[in-house]
Amino acid sequence: MQSITAITGRSLGLLVGCLFAVVAQAQPQVVGWVEDAVLLPENVQVKAKMDTGALTSSLDAKEIERFERNGKKWVRFKVELTDSKTGNDFVSEFERPVVRNVKVRGAGGVDHRSVVEMSICIGKQRYDEQFSLRNRSKMLYPVLIGRRTLEHLGLVDVSRTFTLKPQCGQSVLDEGG
């Protein structure tokens, strides 16, 4: 009887230990409502607002021009940002295939936006996500991170900011990809 109790006690201890390990791994990452992020492959550090009210992420884009290439819908746009780490201004023109178009309803009415795929580094992870393009020059944050990206990121703690440092690996940040 004593050996059965010892085996059961050891098994129970192992089971409890495994459960603690699983629970510790299952804890989602917690991010602040504003985080530093790096736009890739250009390596421009920006302040990104976690926006639980938006489904799709949004990027500040200017001079948005739709066109066709090889029978497919594309968009050309400029991104003008100030690198939040260096303070240097960054201007670059992009051309991306349109993933889809969205109709956004807000206080200002209805807005039709192109959605493109862009890469962004938040914390230690690179995300290839969809961003709607909109002139956000009058807004404080040039990048909004929507729920489609947040579901991969973790939970948002609205009492915290800048909890993650963009660290997608030096080779990614040096090489731009």
Side-chain angles (χ1 to χ4, degrees), residues 7-47:
I7 291 172
T8 305
R10 274 191 223 125
S11 298
L12 183 62
L14 285 171
L15 179 63
V16 169
C18 288
L19 284 175
F20 278 126
V22 168
V23 168
Q25 288 178 348
Q27 294 297 322
Q29 175 174 251
V30 177
V31 301
W33 70 275
V34 178
E35 292 290 349
D36 281 323
V38 175
L39 189 62
L40 300 171
E42 290 70 23
N43 299 327
V44 178
Q45 187 165 311
V46 296
K47 293 178 184 175

Side-chain angles (χ1 to χ4, degrees), residues 29-143:
Q29 175 174 251
V30 177
V31 301
W33 70 275
V34 178
E35 292 290 349
D36 281 323
V38 175
L39 189 62
L40 300 171
E42 290 70 23
N43 299 327
V44 178
Q45 187 165 311
V46 296
K47 293 178 184 175
K49 178 182 171 185
M50 306 302 124
D51 188 352
T52 60
L55 182 60
T56 304
S57 298
S58 182
L59 173 67
D60 181 23
K62 295 170 184 65
E63 300 178 27
I64 300 167
E65 176 188 341
R66 293 173 178 89
F67 66 98
E68 281 198 21
R69 177 178 287 162
N70 299 325
K72 307 255 182 189
K73 294 181 181 181
W74 281 63
V75 66
R76 180 180 298 117
F77 57 97
K78 277 190 181 175
V79 173
E80 300 173 4
L81 301 170
T82 300
D83 188 306
S84 62
K85 185 176 182 181
T86 65
N88 295 334
D89 290 334
F90 165 84
V91 179
S92 187
E93 188 173 284
F94 292 84
E95 290 184 352
R96 293 282 195 278
V98 175
V99 175
R100 61 191 170 94
N101 290 292
V102 293
K103 181 169 32 173
V104 179
R105 291 179 182 88
V110 176
D111 189 17
H112 297 273
R113 301 181 193 169
S114 296
V115 176
V116 299
E117 198 163 282
M118 300 287 290
S119 297
I120 193 165
C121 171
I122 303 172
K124 294 180 180 180
Q125 185 66 42
R126 175 188 175 138
Y127 299 92
D128 295 319
E129 296 290 336
Q130 294 182 6
F131 286 83
S132 68
L133 303 176
R134 179 170 190 262
N135 186 334
R136 300 186 46 78
S137 60
K138 294 181 181 170
M139 306 294 183
L140 189 55
Y141 301 102
V143 175

